[in-house]
Amino acid sequence: MTAQHICLMGDSIFDNDVYIPGEPGVIEQMRRSIPKTWSASKVAVDGDCIEDIPNQLEKVPTHTTDIVVSIGGNDLRKFRHLLAKVAEGSKLEALIASPLADFELAYGWMLDTVSEPGLRVCACTIYTAIPFAEPEMRDHAPSAIDAFNAIIQRLAEARGISVIRLDVACADKDDFSKMSPIEPSSKGGQKIVDAILQTLGQG
């Protein structure tokens, strides 16, 4: 079996260790799950946004064969205040039209940037089943995130980049950290790892 090295880029979806004390984070779960001839590393940073990806790319190990990137959730958090207006009667489509356009430009640029080294790249959607405490987030965030996920899928597929559907993989309340509902729990982390490996042909 050919040796492969998976590098995880992005945000706290992969850099979730601090949110699950005493349990393995996504990178450790990945290392436990991959074939013995494979290896894995993490350059993802909790709190990072799309604009931070070039800094992470500089830290990708030279022996990397596969890049898996999960980014965009923190970019979307900048627009969460708009969801309160939906509860007041505003149309979600109109509220997020401009953010969607900005996201499309930024995410397309990001995909082109991570593709430059010529490695295999996989992109992750943003999960939607987050157990938010705020009613407006529970009621309207999933629909808003779906619109952004449609952009992720379209841009990735246009570039021949595989898409890992985290919105499908993490659909249960227990998939999210009790410390912070926007981070994956250990259970959710293993589902993420399994989805990645299935996409890479090892599931």
Side-chain angles (χ1 to χ4, degrees):
M1 183 179 294
T2 303
Q4 291 182 237
H5 182 86
I6 304 169
C7 184
L8 304 180
M9 302 182 67
D11 52 30
S12 58
I13 302 304
F14 295 150
D15 189 26
N16 69 324
D17 302 70
V18 69
Y19 301 104
I20 47 170
E23 298 183 272
V26 168
I27 184 59
E28 180 59 30
Q29 291 172 311
M30 175 66 74
R31 288 169 176 157
R32 294 178 182 182
S33 302
I34 53 179
K36 292 182 179 180
T37 57
W38 290 27
S39 55
S41 61
K42 175 189 70 175
V43 297
V45 178
D46 180 14
D48 270 10
C49 295
I50 291 174
E51 65 183 9
D52 299 304
I53 287 297
N55 292 331
Q56 294 187 19
L57 193 58
E58 294 179 357
K59 301 173 185 177
V60 171
T62 56
H63 60 290
T64 296
T65 58
D66 297 270
I67 286 175
V68 182
V69 59
S70 179
I71 197 75
N74 291 320
D75 297 84
L76 268 60
R77 292 181 69 190
K78 300 173 185 177
F79 310 125
R80 62 186 299 167
H81 66 282
L82 296 175
L83 297 182
K85 297 182 180 180
V86 179
E88 299 168 0
S90 298
K91 296 293 185 180
L92 177 63
E93 295 81 1
L95 288 171
I96 65 174
S98 180
L100 279 172
D102 291 342
F103 183 84
E104 181 166 1
L105 287 174
Y107 201 89
W109 165 82
M110 184 279 297
L111 289 178
D112 291 338
T113 299
V114 298
S115 298
E116 285 179 3
L119 307 175
R120 179 161 63 162
V121 175
C122 297
C124 299
T125 58
I126 301 166
Y127 43 46
T128 57
I130 303 167
F132 289 109
E134 306 91 336
E136 67 271 16
M137 294 297 290
R138 291 197 305 271
D139 293 343
H140 305 298
S143 296
I145 296 172
D146 281 342
F148 288 93
N149 278 339
I151 291 176
I152 291 175
Q153 293 179 74
R154 176 165 51 81
L155 294 178
E157 290 168 1
R159 291 164 172 78
I161 292 173
S162 297
V163 176
I164 300 167
R165 294 287 304 276
L166 298 192
D167 56 316
V168 174
C170 296
D172 300 323
K173 184 176 181 180
D174 291 343
D175 294 336
F176 303 92
S177 166
K178 294 181 179 179
M179 288 181 60
S180 173
I182 62 173
E183 326 296 343
S185 64
S186 184
K187 178 183 176 182
Q190 187 61 53
K191 289 184 176 181
I192 290 170
V193 168
D194 293 344
I196 291 171
L197 293 181
Q198 183 174 14
T199 300
L200 295 178
Q202 291 296 318

